[in-house]
Amino acid sequence: SQQGEEDPQALSIQEGENATMNCSYKTSINNLQWYRQNSGRGLVHLILIRSNEREKHSGRLRVTLDTSKKSSSLLITASRAADTASYFCATDLNTGGFKTIFGAGTRLFVKA
Amino acid sequence: DAGVIQSPRHEVTEMGQEVTLRCKPISGHDYLFWYRQTMMRGLELLIYFNNNVPIDDSGMPEDRFSAKMPNASFSTLKIQPSEPRDSAVYFCASSTRGRGGSPLHFGNGTRLTVT
């Protein structure tokens, strides 16, 4: 079963625009991570936000976490054609183990 | 850093055959994960190991699936006998887990096609 659900499922924007993807999850977490996957490749880690953090930045990426709403958002500013990929949120479940469960992903297409 | 290495990259086999997927994690990583990705079900966690010991195999779909980690630098995922519904991309990932979590490093996957 999937822990996280991304919204939207697909997003198409023009180069230079911002892209926002949302993730909702169901159970208590230790942290939430965002990954990127280019076609035919493995997932690449982008950013991790811990359960006691509310916002984190990395370059053109901004991630927020609202544990009261069990939701997170990933903002990519000034998007580029090279940002075209699928983006996944993943949660480390707070069960004493280190199970990392992925959502269904958002497919982002950035038009040049 | 060579990253997580998976082999083969592509595997085509006939229903009923045995399939073995291989993974070499990043040196020093003490967690290893096997995931399966399909369009219908997304990324599913099959099993994960800590220090070569299987910790949670609740995601393994059936007894036809088995995974081993004989040492810190090698793991296998075996399907016997294979079925067409096993067709998917299988990913291996490794990590070194500290408090607060740490990222998974993925291999490029094995695309399995069972005809």
Side-chain angles (χ1 to χ4, degrees):
Chain A
S1 63
Q2 291 176 343
Q3 156 79 323
E5 296 291 335
E6 279 93 338
D7 168 53
Q9 291 186 344
L11 181 61
S12 181
I13 59 174
Q14 290 291 139
E15 205 167 30
E17 295 180 338
N18 295 343
T20 300
M21 289 160 268
N22 303 297
C23 169
S24 59
Y25 58 92
K26 298 174 184 173
T27 61
S28 179
I29 60 172
N30 290 321
N31 62 67
L32 187 141
Q33 305 170 43
W34 285 91
Y35 289 78
R36 165 193 169 127
Q37 183 180 32
N38 288 84
S39 180
R41 305 298 296 270
L43 282 73
V44 175
H45 180 259
L46 295 175
I47 195 165
L48 180 152
I49 186 165
R50 295 188 170 83
S51 58
N52 61 353
E53 297 176 312
R54 292 296 167 259
E55 187 170 313
K56 204 160 183 181
H57 297 255
S58 177
R60 293 185 295 113
L61 305 180
R62 173 178 169 254
V63 169
T64 61
L65 178 64
D66 187 334
T67 53
S68 66
K69 295 181 180 178
K70 291 186 169 58
S71 67
S72 173
S73 67
L74 171 67
L75 168 67
I76 304 174
T77 60
S79 63
R80 306 165 182 169
D83 294 328
T84 295
S86 291
Y87 292 82
F88 296 85
C89 70
T91 50
D92 277 357
L93 301 187
N94 191 13
T95 59
F98 290 108
K99 248 174 132 161
T100 302
I101 306 298
F102 286 82
T106 293
R107 286 183 297 160
L108 173 66
F109 181 65
V110 181
K111 293 176 280 188
Chain B
D1 183 357
V4 175
I5 299 172
Q6 290 187 247
S7 64
R9 284 283 279 140
H10 302 274
E11 177 80 43
V12 180
T13 190
E14 291 184 347
M15 184 174 63
Q17 296 298 306
E18 177 180 296
V19 175
T20 299
L21 312 181
R22 298 172 176 78
C23 174
K24 177 179 169 56
I26 292 173
S27 177
H29 283 189
D30 54 352
Y31 281 84
L32 184 139
F33 302 78
W34 282 100
Y35 287 88
R36 177 172 70 175
Q37 186 177 37
T38 61
M39 289 293 293
M40 292 297 295
R41 300 175 67 87
L43 265 163
E44 302 173 276
L45 175 62
L46 301 177
I47 185 171
Y48 78 94
F49 295 82
N50 176 218
N51 291 324
N52 314 337
V53 176
I55 303 300
D56 188 330
D57 65 354
S58 59
M60 297 284 262
E62 310 172 23
D63 291 345
R64 298 184 297 106
F65 286 69
S66 63
K68 294 181 179 179
M69 192 164 186
N71 57 63
S73 60
F74 184 65
S75 177
T76 59
L77 178 68
K78 186 176 291 186
I79 309 172
Q80 166 63 17
S82 59
E83 296 182 4
R85 60 190 166 129
D86 301 331
S87 297
V89 181
Y90 291 81
F91 287 102
C92 174
S94 70
S95 174
T96 177
R97 290 278 155 127
R99 284 186 187 175
S102 59
L104 271 62
H105 298 259
F106 280 79
N108 280 326
T110 294
R111 181 174 295 277
L112 173 64
T113 303
V114 183
T115 60

